[in-house]
Amino acid sequence: MKTDVIVFVVYLVVLMIIGIWFTRKASKSSEHYLLGNRSIGPAVTAMTMQSSSMSGYMFMGGPALAFQHGWYALWYAIGDAGGAIVNLSVLGKRMRRLSEKLGALSPIEYLEKRYESPMVRVVGSIISIIFILAYVFAQFIAAGKALTQLTGFPYELAVVIGVSVITIYTVAGGYLAVVYTDFIQGIIMVLGVTGIAVLALNHIGLSELNASLAALDPTYLSIWGKDLAYYGQWGVIIGAILIYLIGYMGLPHVVVRHMSMKSTKTVKGAIVWAATWNQLFIFIPYILGLIGIVLLPNLADPEMVIPQLTYQFFPGFLSALLLSAIMAAIMSTSDSLLMQAGTILSRDVYQRFINPNASEKKAILISRLCILAGGLIGIVIAIYEPPTVAALVIFSFGVLGNSFLVPYVASVYSKKANHIGTLCAMIGGAATNILWTLLNLESLTAVHPFLAGLIVSFIGMVIGSRFGKGPSDKIKQLIEEAKGKKALPAKIEKNIAHELSPEANNISEILADPSWSR
Amino acid sequence: MQKFTILPDSISKEAAVATIHKLDSSQPYIAERKIYYPYQFVSYQMKVKALLVKEGALGCTIDMISGRESVIDSKPSFERSVLDEAERLPAVLSKEKAEKKAVQFFQRHASKKYKFLTVPRFSLKESQLFFRPFWVVSSEQNRFIVDAVSGKFHPL
């Protein structure tokens, strides 16, 4: 085990040196460093986004689901494989146009401006912060488990060490978080996991795997789950597919990518890359989970399938390197998620509503305290009541999706959807998913919490929008324009400089004002 | 007549019309008028105590009507010119508000890169209101603004 620890420490140091080297090389002045990344192309963007945002789930959650439920777990992967494409085609272009016209920079600010209500921003921010933190907790648990495997320490000690390392990593700062190191980690993880899959499948082919699974328990091969646990329960199956197929449209930190990237071509390119990447990569962790059923029959913790298989198929040094990459990716995911929660709190809540005149210093202090509190709660949960990584990710993903999916989709497709409807959809969707999960209503009703939340959120939007003031004429007009009916020749459409949208809107308004036009 | 700070234009009236006409030759376009749009150029000196102390100047422009911030890599070269009231849009934001927005903007970027335990300190170096010229180019059916500095355009 000692060698593994050395490899891990050396890996972190090398990563840090690479980070510093790239930073120095890429920029001689702070501004390039701070505001860089503008030249990053779609492939690197996609790789960074996909590999680091899903690290904990991809390496522990997904394989564990397959290990426990057999081929049934692939329903989640099937949804995920199409998620990026659905997200882009349903929401992408319209939301980009509307956010441009509204001049909204953050996804929560977008909802406030579209639904013309500060209350939407408050509720949206609170839900986002809580469930982004839940994502972080999942990463903490994953970090603890990966470190247990690397060091042989007890899980509790590993969590404390893991979270401490995350804090140091975060404090040591920006250097490690530059996208090049994320990119390198992404490459190592993909090559590593693909390598394990190739070796494992060489050891036991797919047909042999199925035969072995059937010999152990034929229901592993069923679409209804092991022991036919979900037999005939289409409500659960549909929910399992939908959560990752359409759920991305409800994740503020995913949706923001449509809005904030400078070039529309980069957005499209990145999503095409992400979609391609998903087809290639998303199924592998689940297949490894299935292989684990056969090759690791005595595995106590299903989430350890990939770490265990790594040790089985790779020599000591390579397995330690791969686990270090996983651990480092988990750390960089954690610190960026923590940052996200802190930014939403300080910008969308504290400076906007509680103390608009607060100095930047005070706002940062508040966000740090929030992050610190979130981190401490995370440690306590990870040690005393650790849910599985898969359960926590599916839960927080589901709640975020149920809160925001209907409001985001309705924001560009409905001229009737108003702030009351949105509040009902957000609160109703989130509350339903939470209650459904906590009270285990899935087993009573045969309906997946995500599907239940989605239905309640939709009903909330339809009924709620009948009350209160409807959208203003200006918003209705903007929704119509966001449909993007091509009134202009294709060559002109293609070359429009979208960054001039705010100027164009303001000049339009002023030119139309008879008191100004002279 | 009052003099204002402006960005010198590099796209002539004819070039602005040609930009649009090249992409849509089905109808005649004319340059209706020139409009000057207000921005505030704000530059701060930033100091961060990270792993190594970092210091540097940051600059951005604030759209003085909608408040949107944009990063700029270097200070633009300005000139002074007389502007008629009818060709210049009035600023909605105050100078102080623009400077505050700029700090918040830098802070957001800084916090993303330098993480939450280091607070960059900002001291104001320069703050100046300036106007950017746009051509309003139109046909019977369509109307555009063409940025007289970069030549980029957007429909109105």
Side-chain angles (χ1 to χ4, degrees):
Chain A
M1 282 301 159
K2 267 184 186 170
T3 328
D4 298 357
V5 179
I6 293 166
V7 171
F8 178 54
V9 172
V10 170
Y11 182 85
L12 283 187
V13 172
V14 169
L15 215 56
M16 185 180 249
I17 291 168
I18 293 172
I20 292 173
W21 187 72
F22 267 115
T23 305
R24 301 235 143 199
K25 190 169 175 267
S27 62
K28 292 207 165 68
S29 57
S30 302
E31 54 265 48
H32 280 107
Y33 177 59
L34 277 181
L35 310 169
N37 293 357
R38 280 177 290 167
S39 58
I40 301 296
V44 175
T45 309
M47 172 77 93
T48 309
M49 269 168 15
Q50 295 296 103
S51 64
S52 62
S53 68
M54 291 289 284
S55 47
Y57 180 77
M58 223 148 59
F59 289 97
M60 294 194 173
L65 271 185
F67 187 88
Q68 289 163 314
H69 298 289
W71 277 94
Y72 159 83
L74 270 289
W75 287 124
Y76 285 93
I78 288 169
D80 211 350
I85 300 162
V86 172
N87 188 4
L88 173 70
S89 44
V90 175
L91 212 51
K93 287 181 185 170
R94 286 192 184 209
M95 193 167 156
R96 187 178 162 81
R97 288 192 200 108
L98 189 58
S99 63
E100 248 176 42
K101 290 176 190 295
L102 291 170
L105 291 175
S106 81
I108 307 288
E109 185 186 349
Y110 166 84
L111 287 178
E112 181 193 13
K113 287 188 169 167
R114 159 61 182 86
Y115 291 107
E116 302 166 294
S117 159
M119 202 56 200
V120 170
R121 188 162 177 166
V122 176
V123 173
S125 301
I126 292 169
I127 295 174
S128 308
I129 291 169
I130 293 173
F131 290 94
I132 285 175
L133 284 177
Y135 250 82
V136 181
F137 298 165
Q139 301 297 327
F140 284 176
I141 296 166
K145 290 186 175 181
L147 210 58
T148 303
Q149 184 72 37
L150 265 171
T151 61
F153 292 151
Y155 168 73
E156 291 77 11
L157 180 62
V159 167
V160 174
I161 293 175
V163 177
S164 305
V165 173
I166 289 170
T167 313
I168 295 166
Y169 184 95
T170 311
V171 178
Y175 296 119
L176 295 180
V178 289
V179 4
Y180 294 104
T181 52
D182 279 355
F183 181 63
I184 291 165
Q185 280 167 220
I187 295 273
I188 293 181
M189 290 194 300
V190 177
L191 291 180
V193 171
T194 312
I196 300 170
V198 169
L199 290 177
L201 285 171
N202 200 28
H203 193 81
I204 177 170
L206 268 182
S207 311
E208 202 186 340
L209 170 68
N210 279 337
S212 306
L213 288 175
L216 284 169
D217 182 343
T219 60
Y220 273 128
L221 302 180
S222 159
I223 61 163
W224 307 110
K226 187 171 180 280
D227 302 329
L228 304 180
Y230 303 109
Y231 184 73
Q233 298 183 17
W234 282 106
V236 176
I237 305 277
I238 292 170
I241 298 173
L242 285 183
I243 187 168
Y244 292 138
L245 185 67
I246 61 173
Y248 285 110
M249 290 188 285
L251 298 197
H253 58 280
V254 172
V255 165
V256 73
R257 289 176 198 139
H258 296 307
M259 300 166 46
S260 61
M261 274 193 200
K262 291 208 164 175
S263 136
T264 41
K265 283 176 191 161
T266 310
V267 180
K268 280 186 197 162
I271 292 182
V272 168
W273 274 97
T276 312
W277 155 283
N278 272 357
Q279 310 311 315
L280 294 172
F281 191 62
I282 211 76
F283 294 96
I284 294 178
Y286 292 92
I287 302 286
L288 286 173
L290 296 175
I291 291 172
I293 300 173
V294 178
L295 297 185
L296 306 167
N298 300 317
L299 187 69
D301 181 356
E303 302 212 313
M304 299 308 281
V305 169
I306 287 193
Q308 286 289 343
L309 285 176
T310 310
Y311 275 96
Q312 189 144 338
F313 289 113
F314 282 110
F317 172 77
L318 279 178
S319 59
L321 183 70
L322 182 55
L323 279 181
S324 300
I326 295 175
M327 182 70 196
I330 289 170
M331 292 194 301
S332 70
T333 306
S334 306
D335 77 346
S336 64
L337 286 172
L338 278 170
M339 282 297 311
Q340 241 165 31
T343 309
I344 294 173
L345 187 93
S346 65
R347 189 166 177 232
D348 290 329
V349 181
Y350 186 74
Q351 278 184 319
R352 176 77 172 77
F353 297 107
I354 299 171
N355 188 356
N357 296 320
S359 65
E360 278 303 309
K361 233 176 181 175
K362 196 163 183 187
I364 289 174
L365 182 71
I366 296 291
S367 85
R368 280 180 188 174
L369 288 176
C370 161
I371 290 166
L372 192 66
L376 288 175
I377 296 168
I379 294 180
V380 173
I381 291 175
I383 290 181
Y384 291 104
E385 278 295 327
T388 62
V389 175
L392 203 50
V393 169
I394 290 174
F395 176 53
S396 44
F397 193 106
V399 175
L400 285 171
N402 285 156
S403 308
F404 295 113
L405 191 152
V406 172
Y408 280 129
V409 175
S411 74
V412 287
Y413 284 96
S414 167
K415 286 184 199 163
K416 288 181 183 161
N418 70 0
H419 65 288
I420 304 277
T422 295
L423 288 170
C424 292
M426 286 198 293
I427 297 169
T432 306
N433 194 314
I434 293 167
L435 288 177
W436 222 265
T437 308
L438 294 182
L439 303 175
N440 194 19
L441 293 178
E442 179 182 306
S443 57
L444 274 179
T445 58
V447 174
H448 196 285
F450 182 76
L451 186 59
L454 189 65
I455 292 167
V456 171
S457 181
F458 178 75
I459 293 171
M461 177 62 89
V462 173
I463 295 176
S465 293
R466 292 174 177 272
F467 299 93
K469 225 174 108 189
S472 64
D473 291 340
K474 189 185 168 194
I475 292 289
K476 284 182 189 166
Q477 174 66 29
L478 292 180
I479 296 171
E480 191 58 37
E481 289 170 15
K483 284 183 183 169
K485 283 182 188 154
K486 291 192 175 167
L488 294 167
K491 272 187 185 171
I492 289 201
E493 284 279 355
K494 211 174 156 189
N495 288 289
I496 290 171
H498 292 283
E499 66 271 23
L500 291 179
S501 181
E503 283 86 345
N505 284 339
N506 294 329
I507 291 174
S508 277
E509 272 181 28
I510 286 184
L511 288 179
D513 180 357
S515 66
W516 190 83
S517 187
R518 283 155 291 208
Chain B
M1 291 283 250
Q2 206 184 334
K3 277 195 165 182
F4 292 89
T5 302
I6 64 161
L7 275 179
D9 49 352
S10 51
I11 306 290
S12 67
K13 187 193 264 190
E14 293 72 29
V17 172
T19 304
I20 303 295
H21 193 257
K22 206 167 60 189
L23 299 169
D24 178 18
S25 51
S26 65
Q27 47 192 321
Y29 281 92
I30 54 154
E32 254 181 66
R33 63 196 296 177
K34 196 188 220 179
I35 280 186
Y36 284 85
Y37 195 98
Y39 297 87
Q40 189 84 15
F41 166 68
V42 188
S43 144
Y44 278 91
Q45 185 70 22
M46 186 201 70
K47 199 171 183 180
V48 187
K49 280 181 189 165
L51 197 63
L52 302 166
V53 174
K54 284 232 153 206
E55 209 168 338
L58 293 171
C60 77
T61 59
I62 307 289
D63 172 340
M64 292 297 272
I65 297 180
S66 48
R68 194 186 50 154
E69 314 91 338
S70 303
V71 180
I72 49 170
D73 293 325
S74 56
K75 186 186 168 182
S77 41
F78 296 124
E79 61 184 41
R80 299 280 293 169
S81 176
V82 173
L83 294 185
D84 187 71
E85 215 178 313
E87 58 182 352
R88 142 180 88 78
L89 267 59
V92 175
L93 266 62
S94 66
K95 179 173 176 276
E96 292 71 29
K97 180 85 183 165
E99 287 163 5
K100 194 174 175 194
K101 278 188 89 66
V103 172
Q104 287 173 345
F105 178 61
F106 292 138
Q107 192 72 59
R108 281 202 303 278
H109 280 279
S111 64
K112 273 183 199 157
K113 292 284 174 182
Y114 282 106
K115 308 298 158 179
F116 62 94
L117 285 172
T118 40
V119 191
R121 278 179 304 171
F122 295 96
S123 47
L124 185 65
K125 265 180 75 185
E126 203 176 340
S127 177
Q128 186 168 27
L129 179 72
F130 71 95
F131 290 83
R132 186 182 189 100
F134 287 94
W135 291 105
V136 178
V137 174
S138 62
S139 68
E140 270 189 14
Q141 289 168 16
N142 304 320
R143 210 174 189 195
F144 298 90
I145 47 163
V146 178
D147 183 341
V149 178
S150 66
K152 290 178 178 177
F153 67 88
H154 195 287
L156 286 175

